[in-house]
Amino acid sequence: IFFRLCMALRLSCDEWRCISDYVQTAVLSHVCRQTWRALRRRYLSWHADCTNVSEMVALLEGDPAVRSLSVKCNAFKDDTTRPLGELRNIPRLTSLTLDLEGSPIGDTGVASLSALKEARALKDLHLSLVFTRLGNAGAAALAALKDIPSLQTLVLGLEFNEIEEPGAQALATLRHCSTLTSLTLNLRLNGIQDGGAAVLATLQAAPSLTFLALCLEVCKIGDSGAQALAQLKNAPALTALSLNLRSNLIGDEGAAAFAELRHAPLLKSFSLSLEFNRIGPSGVQALAALKDAPALTALHLNLRVNELGDGGTAALAALKDAPRLSVLHLNLRVNKIRDHGAVALAALRHAPALKTLILSLEFNKIGDAGAEALAMLKEAPLLETLRLNLELNTIGDAGKAALATLKDAALKDVAVNL
């Protein structure tokens, strides 16, 4: 401790501030008195309710020391959020998180947050508005956040609300924020439907957006909505895309449309969740064309509880031809896969760049022949991490013995779950 303290004292306050800005935490302010004086109000995490929020804001307003603020807001109502908008007056605030989950603030309460558009230094904004009775008018108020001059990262948690196509259309105007590089919209269990998905697809016009995550679970989206979202392939700067469309009404035509994302020129990471939809072999066969995405290095396909069968599963083996793919996760639970499908997947061992492979094949009908074939995945030339989840199949002693040989493979990390 003595030597660590001596080293700490050798650093100037400016050096400590640079380190603190890098690690983004208040922990360093507790190292010694020097760091306490330099950093104590730089990163703050507070709790507030309607009885003390005005006092909290008054303490922070105009304070040039504050850089990052996280506030857990308890039991707010529509007329008590106004002071939160005054946080825009913290002159050097670069990161703000407001958690209003479960507070019935409605559209009126959310409208007060639009005042944050005047926070001139703000770069990262996270708003959790889960189950807050938010509707289309509230979504339109949030769209004003596009006017924050320095905004780079925006995360909006809007699950369990009443946002429909007009609200989605308002949120899609976030594409006009020229500085925005990372956007996460969680709209699970809203009334988005196909029309809302189509307007959200216009986010493709965001000029600087490199990361986009859309969670549209349980939003009654069908094939036409999926086809619209596939137009995100035209986003000029997009390198990472996550689309969560669990529990919708998407069939083979919609699944096939997502294969168009192979034409996204800069896309390196793609996560697509189509769990609990209506996808069969022909839809998956089309999806396998993602192997032709020129820059793709990481792919996560969640096709759990569909109707793939052996035919659809075998089609996914074509991903072995993806030239740069180094990370692949296929979730194929509950898809009536038998040995033929598992044998086909074993061809992934020929993928030239694959380093991490996760196959989730639980609740299928894979037997010994399929297990023996999957054990051959250890032959992949660059493979370092292998995860095989095979619970609740029909694998016997011969298949288990073959899989047991994986523990002796020249891999850094192997896990087989039976």
Side-chain angles (χ1 to χ4, degrees):
I1 294 175
F2 171 78
F3 291 108
R4 290 201 296 270
L5 180 58
C6 288
M7 292 176 67
L9 293 174
R10 291 178 183 177
L11 298 178
S12 68
C13 289
D14 285 341
E15 288 170 322
W16 274 115
R17 292 187 187 105
C18 288
I19 295 170
S20 182
D21 288 344
Y22 178 76
V23 299
Q24 296 281 309
T25 177
V27 172
L28 291 177
S29 63
H30 300 282
V31 171
C32 62
R33 290 181 180 178
Q34 178 182 342
T35 61
W36 177 251
R37 287 193 298 269
L39 307 174
R40 61 178 173 174
R41 290 176 67 82
R42 204 170 183 86
Y43 296 95
L44 300 176
S45 181
W46 288 4
H47 287 253
D49 57 39
C50 56
T51 66
N52 64 13
V53 63
S54 295
E55 181 183 359
M56 179 200 76
V57 172
L59 287 170
L60 296 172
E61 199 169 0
D63 188 341
V66 179
R67 296 292 192 278
S68 176
L69 175 64
S70 177
V71 184
K72 171 63 177 175
C73 305
N74 299 312
F76 276 60
K77 296 182 180 179
D78 57 359
D79 58 348
T80 57
T81 58
R82 187 176 301 275
L84 294 174
E86 300 304 311
L87 294 171
R88 69 185 188 274
N89 295 320
I90 303 176
R92 296 183 182 177
L93 184 68
T94 60
S95 178
L96 175 62
T97 299
L98 297 178
D99 183 354
L100 286 147
E101 181 173 346
S103 291
I105 60 175
D107 291 340
T108 302
V110 171
S112 299
L113 300 179
S114 65
L116 294 170
K117 67 183 181 181
E118 299 174 13
R120 303 199 62 81
L122 194 61
K123 295 181 179 180
D124 302 323
L125 178 59
H126 298 240
L127 298 180
S128 178
L129 297 166
V130 181
F131 196 51
T132 53
R133 300 181 184 175
L134 175 65
N136 293 327
L142 290 173
L145 298 173
K146 67 181 182 296
D147 297 324
I148 299 175
S150 302
L151 188 64
Q152 296 177 1
T153 299
L154 178 61
V155 178
L156 297 179
L158 307 173
E159 306 100 294
F160 294 91
N161 281 297
E162 301 165 10
I163 300 171
E164 299 170 325
E165 181 179 342
Q169 189 164 11
L171 291 170
T173 64
L174 292 167
R175 66 184 180 273
H176 298 306
C177 182
S178 61
T179 59
L180 191 64
T181 60
S182 177
L183 175 62
T184 300
L185 294 178
N186 192 332
L187 290 159
R188 180 187 181 206
L189 277 164
N190 280 274
I192 303 301
Q193 300 187 14
D194 286 336
V199 295
L200 288 172
T202 64
L203 289 167
Q204 65 186 279
S208 304
L209 198 64
T210 60
F211 173 83
L212 175 62
L214 296 178
C215 180
L216 299 169
E217 289 187 40
V218 201
C219 287
K220 297 183 180 179
I221 294 171
D223 286 341
S224 63
Q227 290 163 348
L229 289 170
Q231 296 308 304
L232 290 167
K233 67 181 181 181
N234 298 317
L238 198 64
T239 61
L241 175 63
S242 175
L243 297 177
N244 186 344
L245 292 155
R246 180 180 184 268
S247 299
N248 279 287
L249 308 171
I250 298 170
D252 287 337
E253 290 185 12
F258 287 120
E260 288 297 302
L261 286 160
R262 70 186 183 277
H263 299 302
L266 303 179
L267 191 64
K268 295 181 179 179
S269 176
F270 182 33
S271 176
L272 177 62
S273 179
L274 293 170
E275 178 181 355
F276 286 102
N277 277 279
R278 302 171 178 178
I279 298 164
S282 64
V284 180
Q285 287 166 8
L287 270 179
L290 289 168
K291 66 184 176 62
D292 297 322
L296 193 65
T297 60
L299 177 62
H300 179 180
L301 291 180
N302 183 355
L303 297 165
R304 177 187 176 195
V305 194
N306 279 282
E307 300 170 4
L308 273 61
D310 284 340
T313 304
L316 292 172
L319 294 170
K320 71 181 188 302
D321 297 323
R324 298 185 180 182
L325 191 65
S326 63
V327 177
L328 177 61
H329 183 183
L330 299 178
N331 187 341
L332 307 176
R333 298 180 68 184
V334 197
N335 268 290
K336 300 179 181 178
I337 301 169
R338 298 177 181 272
D339 284 338
H340 179 72
V343 170
L345 286 177
L348 291 169
R349 69 186 184 277
H350 300 303
L354 196 62
K355 293 184 178 180
T356 298
L357 176 61
I358 302 172
L359 297 178
S360 299
L361 297 164
E362 303 96 315
F363 293 91
N364 282 293
K365 299 179 180 180
I366 298 170
D368 288 344
E372 290 168 356
L374 290 172
M376 297 172 65
L377 289 167
K378 63 187 176 184
E379 299 174 6
L382 299 182
L383 195 64
E384 298 176 352
T385 299
L386 177 62
R387 293 269 195 279
L388 295 178
N389 299 316
L390 293 160
E391 294 99 322
L392 292 167
N393 278 278
T394 57
I395 299 171
D397 291 340
K400 291 177 181 177
L403 292 169
T405 65
L406 289 171
K407 70 178 185 297
D408 300 320
L411 303 176
K412 292 182 179 179
D413 188 6
V414 179
V416 179
N417 298 314
L418 296 171

